[in-house]
């Protein structure tokens, strides 16, 4: 993975604004303004700039209830941080506001010491609208698994098949739960977003996020897809980013709790956190949530979850996530196991229970999703950044060179009293 900024050929964020372009406007929308699931147009750029804020109009979903209680407080203390300067990884001068434009941000919320100091929305996103988190979803699944570990319902050292015996003949048949949590399984599965022959496209067809071609004879639900995964190499040796691990972990969570993922997230996090709005998961053709990439939330609720993590699991006047779950994640995994994956924008990083841990000078750790979704927790600066985006490039190698230096510059400015 090379360090690269937005490709020169990509049109600017302003010229691809879905509101300006009028996608899906009118009754009915004009034929050249339609975005649909069945023809795959929702994944095209710039159509995806509308789609990621409107998943519920495209595919079936399952609600995550916020509960009947009041929304938790997010006290405001506005700061104009748009002019804070940074230097990109390829040496270009940047400001925080320009970073948002250059990386196709749909929304950003910055918390400092629990106060909302900066909140901006662009394109199709609004404060009350959920936006898909893509693989930020994985970090929610990891925390739910961590909660179940503390409750004694999941043993990280146990074989995966103790919970899901159906996986006995699959590549997960001799894997242990902690290897799934940290993505150190040895699997033949590939995750190359630009290659339509990569296994990730089979996963998308199975989990309901890609149409099924007429001649397709592969799995059409998540469970069947997971059972079909083959082993390649040894478990426990090296990190390799493969979404099927998270979907197996979600299966384990369902079995251990006897709840759907939506019920589990609602009961353990969304209700006690005082979420402002319901969230939702997209589901496969038999109603199973995508635990690896299917959660849509509002931006503020994403920020609330990040603040819960920063506060060692405590938020809204209560301990929501056991502190040892958060501290285990923040401490990180083994950087030596991470290194072979070749993430040049994340030198010295590691992966722990579905979170990316920088091991930088501030001990920052992240939830990350394709097209620029993220939660960035900086414990030293007491800062949380929640961000949704619709970048034309899926992989975060296009975002990191611009966003990560901007986040560090902001953290240092806040620490200095800026």
């Amino acid at each position: 993975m090379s360090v690269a900024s937005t490709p020169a050929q990509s049109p600017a964020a302003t010229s691809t604004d879905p509101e300006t372009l009028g996608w899906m406007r009118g009754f009915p929308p004009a034929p050249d303004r339609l975005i649909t699931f069945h023809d795959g147009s929702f994944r095209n750029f710039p159509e995806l700039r509308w789609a990621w804020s409107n998943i519920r109009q495209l595919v079936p979903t399952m609600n995550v209830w916020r509960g009947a209680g009041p929304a938790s407080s997010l006290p405001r203390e506005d700061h104009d941080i748009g002019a804070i300067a940074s230097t990109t990884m390829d040496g270009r001068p940047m400001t925080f506001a320009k970073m948002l434009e250059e990386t196709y941000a749909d929304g950003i919320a910055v918390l400092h010491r629990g106060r909302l100091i900066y909140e901006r929305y662009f394109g199709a996103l609004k404060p009350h609208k959920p936006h898909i988190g893509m693989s930020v979803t994985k970090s929610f699944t990891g925390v739910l698994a961590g909660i179940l570990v503390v409750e004694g319902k999941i043993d990280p050292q146990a074989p995966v098949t103790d919970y899901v015996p159906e996986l006995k003949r699959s590549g997960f048949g001799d894997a242990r739960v902690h290897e799934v949590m940290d993505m150190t399984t040895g699997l033949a599965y590939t995750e190359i977003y630009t290659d339509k022959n990569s296994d990730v496209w089979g996963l998308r067809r199975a989990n309901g996020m890609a149409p099924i071609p007429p001649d397709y004879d592969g799995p059409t639900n998540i469970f069947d897809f997971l059972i079909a995964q083959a082993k390649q190499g040894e478990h426990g040796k090296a990190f390799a980013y493969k979404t099927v691990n998270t979907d197996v972990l979600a299966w384990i969570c369902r079995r251990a709790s006897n709840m759907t993922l939506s019920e589990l997230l609602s009961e353990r996090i969304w209700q006690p956190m005082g979420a402002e709005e319901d969230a939702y998961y997209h589901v496969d053709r038999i109603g199973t949530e995508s635990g690896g990439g299917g959660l849509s939330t509002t931006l503020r609720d994403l920020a609330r979850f990040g603040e819960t993590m920063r506060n060692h699991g405590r938020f809204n006047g209560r301990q929501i996530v056991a502190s040892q779950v958060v501290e285990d994640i923040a401490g990180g995994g083994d950087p030596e196991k991470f290194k072979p994956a070749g993430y040049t924008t994340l030198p010295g990083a590691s992966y722990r229970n579905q979170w990316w841990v920088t091991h930088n000078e501030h001990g920052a750790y992240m939830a990350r999703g394709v097209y620029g979704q993220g939660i960035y927790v900086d414990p030293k600066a007491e800062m949380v950044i929640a961000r949704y985006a619709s970048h034309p490039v899926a992989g975060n190698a296009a975002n990191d060179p611009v966003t990560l230096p901007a986040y560090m510059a902001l953290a240092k400015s806040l620490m200095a009293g800026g």
Side-chain angles (χ1 to χ4, degrees):
M1 264 180 211
S2 60
V3 176
S5 297
T6 304
Q9 68 270 23
S10 295
T14 50
S15 67
T16 58
D17 185 300
E19 299 291 291
T20 303
L21 294 176
W23 295 113
M24 297 295 284
R25 289 290 179 86
F27 312 100
D32 65 346
R33 300 292 92 182
L34 272 174
I35 299 171
T36 67
F37 172 78
H38 68 85
D39 64 1
S41 61
F42 75 107
R43 284 195 175 275
N44 297 340
F45 186 86
E47 289 92 329
L48 61 79
R49 301 213 64 204
W50 176 88
W52 297 163
S53 295
N54 292 281
I55 291 296
R56 193 156 247 176
Q57 285 177 244
L58 297 164
V59 296
T61 61
M62 186 183 293
N63 218 51
V64 178
W65 187 41
R66 63 168 296 276
S72 57
S73 173
L74 274 184
R76 301 187 75 98
E77 192 176 285
D78 289 337
H79 291 251
D80 188 2
I81 61 175
I84 290 176
S86 59
T87 303
T88 65
M89 290 182 187
D90 59 357
R92 296 182 295 117
M94 186 61 56
T95 65
F96 200 84
K98 180 66 175 171
M99 173 273 291
L100 297 175
E101 181 182 345
E102 187 166 305
T103 58
Y104 301 81
D106 294 327
I108 191 155
V110 179
L111 300 179
H112 183 229
R113 296 174 180 165
R115 295 184 176 273
L116 185 61
I117 64 167
Y118 191 77
E119 182 182 20
R120 297 289 186 276
Y121 295 88
F122 311 94
L125 191 60
K126 303 290 185 286
H128 67 282
K129 287 187 72 172
H131 185 294
I132 191 166
M134 301 295 181
S135 290
V136 168
T137 307
K138 292 179 171 66
S139 299
F140 284 87
T141 302
V143 170
L144 290 173
I147 290 170
L148 294 174
V149 168
V150 171
E151 292 177 0
K153 294 177 180 174
I154 293 176
D155 176 3
Q157 302 303 319
V160 167
T161 52
D162 279 8
Y163 302 93
V164 189
E166 294 94 326
L167 292 170
K168 184 176 182 179
R169 292 185 178 85
S170 77
F172 296 97
D174 58 347
R176 298 195 175 269
V177 174
H178 69 89
E179 292 164 340
V180 168
M181 294 172 81
D182 294 343
M183 292 208 194
T184 59
T185 50
L187 302 170
Y189 171 96
T190 62
E191 189 142 341
I192 304 167
Y193 307 114
T194 54
D195 179 2
K196 289 295 179 77
N197 295 313
S198 177
D199 296 315
V200 69
W201 286 92
L203 176 60
R204 286 171 175 173
R205 286 187 285 270
N207 71 21
M209 274 296 275
I212 293 179
D215 58 349
Y216 181 72
D217 62 356
T220 56
N221 66 68
I222 292 171
F223 300 131
D224 287 348
F225 188 84
L226 297 177
I227 289 168
Q229 295 311 299
K231 189 178 179 184
Q232 182 176 293
E234 291 185 69
H235 298 315
K237 296 298 183 184
F239 165 77
Y241 186 76
K242 299 182 177 186
T243 295
V244 286
N245 286 292
T246 322
D247 281 316
V248 166
L249 185 61
W251 198 348
I252 292 168
C253 287
R254 293 182 184 100
R255 284 281 170 84
S257 65
N258 198 31
M259 301 171 79
T260 66
L261 216 55
S262 302
E263 291 167 339
L264 189 61
L265 179 59
S266 172
E267 181 181 284
R268 298 296 205 279
I269 295 175
W270 227 238
Q271 293 187 55
M273 187 180 76
E276 197 168 327
E277 304 285 349
D278 289 356
Y280 61 81
Y281 286 95
H282 75 70
V283 297
D284 69 6
R285 290 162 184 84
I286 61 169
T288 308
E289 311 99 329
S290 168
L295 183 65
S296 290
T297 80
T298 64
L299 183 66
R300 288 179 194 155
D301 286 337
L302 192 69
R304 284 179 169 92
F305 181 62
E307 183 67 6
T308 302
M309 297 297 288
R310 186 189 74 80
N311 282 315
H312 305 275
R314 187 172 181 82
F315 189 73
N316 197 25
R318 60 191 292 186
Q319 193 73 34
I320 298 169
V321 180
S323 60
Q324 59 262 48
V325 175
V326 180
E327 284 149 18
D328 178 67
I329 289 167
D334 185 347
E336 288 305 309
K337 289 184 179 181
F338 184 87
K339 192 181 295 182
Y343 290 87
T344 57
T345 60
L346 300 172
S350 71
Y351 194 81
R352 184 66 169 176
N353 192 15
Q354 311 293 311
W355 289 76
W356 305 75
V357 184
T358 68
H359 300 284
N360 67 12
E361 60 189 287
H362 287 188
Y365 57 98
M366 302 176 285
R368 292 157 62 84
V370 286
Y371 303 101
Q373 325 316 325
I375 304 171
Y376 185 91
V377 180
D378 185 325
K380 187 173 181 180
E382 301 171 278
M383 178 186 80
V384 170
I385 298 174
R387 179 176 181 271
Y388 281 135
S390 48
H391 200 287
V393 178
N396 276 307
N399 266 290
D400 290 347
V402 186
T403 56
L404 296 183
Y407 294 171
M408 181 58 82
L410 173 59
K412 290 181 175 178
S413 174
L414 293 174
M415 289 171 68

